[in-house]
Each structure stands twice: as C-alpha cells, then as structure tokens.
Amino acid sequence: MMPSSSKIPFPSVLLLMIARSAAGAPRTAENERWNVNFETRHSPSEYYGEWADHTYHPSPPDWRALSIYQLLTDRFADGDPSNNEAFAGGFDVRDMTYRHGGDFVGLTQKLPYIKGLGCQAIWISPIFQNGENMYHQYAMHDFTLLDRRLGTLEELRRLTTEAHRLDMYVIVDIVMN
C-alpha cells in the first residue's frame, strides 16, 4: 500500500537524515582551522581547496615500485595530547576500542624513523570528521572537515611538507561508501 502524500515513508526519512548528516561544511570562522573547503557559502558544487605558495610534489612514475608504510594515524604517535578529546570524547589508551591519540604532529615527528626503515611513502588512514570513538577513521560523515582529534589543516600541511622534504610521498586513504 502506498503511503499518503502527507506521510514520508521511514526509509525516505532515514535517507534524508543520512544525507543531511553527510553534507559538507562551508568555511566559517569557527571551523577554518579544520576545513579543507575554502568556499564560504553552502554551495557544494563550488567547494574548492587552496594552498597558497605551495609547490606540488609530482607523483612517482610507478607507485608499485615504492616501499609504502601504511598506518592508522590514531594508533601511531600522539604528538599533541591537547586534541585527544577535541570532538565527541572517546579517548582511553587502556581500551583497544577507544581512540589512542595519534595525530598529524606525532606522525610528522616520526617521519625520519619511517624514512630510516627504507620507506618512500606513508599511507595514512582517512582524515575527515569521523564518528565518535572510530579510531580507524573509516566512519567519515563530512568530507570537508578534518577530524579535530587528528590535528588542524596547518598541521596536515606541515606533515605533507616534511614528508616531501624527506623525498617521501603521502597517500590519504578514503572510502566513499
């Protein structure tokens, strides 16, 4: 039986709720430290990123020829304990299901170690705003805002710049489903 025109079927309501929660964020004064989008209105088709005075590092001729160090950022190195409770709580190093505090600052500090292992690239877990306690970062719900617990856009840029200075590449894992 078809629902009346005044009622919205439950699956449609659920889909609308999910779509609303997955919407990207326009750049504001409140979120600019974490927002990779520089468009200030809520017009997702016009979202864009920018990195002034940055020289892009060319990709290698063949990614298969590289030694790549893959890691979960939250589990690797906590370089800035002040961001461990930055969003939705869930920090507890005694519980393997909770977040452990790894971040861009800690990873930047450990790049020489990874380079010393002979690795030419790092492949990090997703970086975007994520569900509570999802240390693996695969529960993204906004692809414009970095997860505050991992660090700021400036800290991510420092990580990338330092990796390139060491002649290393940075791969960011992302899942769109």
Side-chain angles (χ1 to χ4, degrees):
M1 185 165 134
M2 296 292 289
S4 70
S5 60
S6 64
K7 295 181 181 177
I8 299 174
F10 178 73
S12 297
V13 170
L14 184 59
L15 181 59
L16 286 172
M17 288 170 47
I18 291 170
R20 178 75 174 135
S21 69
R27 191 173 190 84
T28 66
E30 294 81 30
N31 71 22
E32 69 185 3
R33 292 182 60 213
W34 302 276
N35 203 328
V36 298
N37 165 46
F38 281 73
E39 193 269 332
T40 56
R41 297 169 292 127
H42 188 58
S43 183
S45 66
E46 297 177 24
Y47 283 1
Y48 67 95
E50 74 181 31
W51 190 349
D53 302 319
H54 175 69
T55 303
Y56 287 90
H57 196 72
S59 291
D62 187 353
W63 285 97
R64 297 171 297 178
L66 300 181
S67 294
I68 300 172
Y69 192 101
Q70 187 176 19
L71 59 100
L72 290 175
T73 306
D74 176 72
R75 295 299 201 232
F76 194 70
D78 188 358
D80 180 8
S82 72
N83 65 16
N84 292 344
E85 296 282 357
F87 175 76
F91 171 78
D92 186 348
V93 295
R94 298 165 298 181
D95 187 332
M96 69 180 210
T97 64
Y98 277 60
R99 301 181 56 81
H100 288 189
D103 52 35
F104 302 141
V105 172
L107 181 50
T108 302
Q109 294 167 349
K110 298 294 185 183
L111 284 175
Y113 164 75
I114 297 171
K115 176 77 174 179
L117 295 173
C119 296
Q120 299 141 313
I122 56 169
W123 179 350
I124 64 175
S125 53
I127 59 176
F128 294 109
Q129 192 174 53
N130 194 35
E132 180 182 355
N133 298 333
M134 300 300 175
Y135 67 88
H136 49 69
Q137 295 298 121
Y138 288 97
M140 296 169 285
H141 54 98
D142 188 322
F143 292 91
T144 59
L145 292 174
L146 297 176
D147 191 311
R148 294 173 186 220
R149 297 165 292 196
L150 297 177
T152 65
L153 179 57
E154 188 56 38
E155 291 164 345
L156 176 60
R157 287 176 173 173
R158 271 187 242 132
L159 166 66
T160 304
T161 299
E162 181 61 13
H164 292 168
R165 189 187 72 72
L166 293 170
D167 200 28
M168 296 174 72
Y169 298 93
V170 178
I171 304 165
V172 178
D173 204 345
I174 188 166
V175 177
M176 301 300 285
N177 59 353

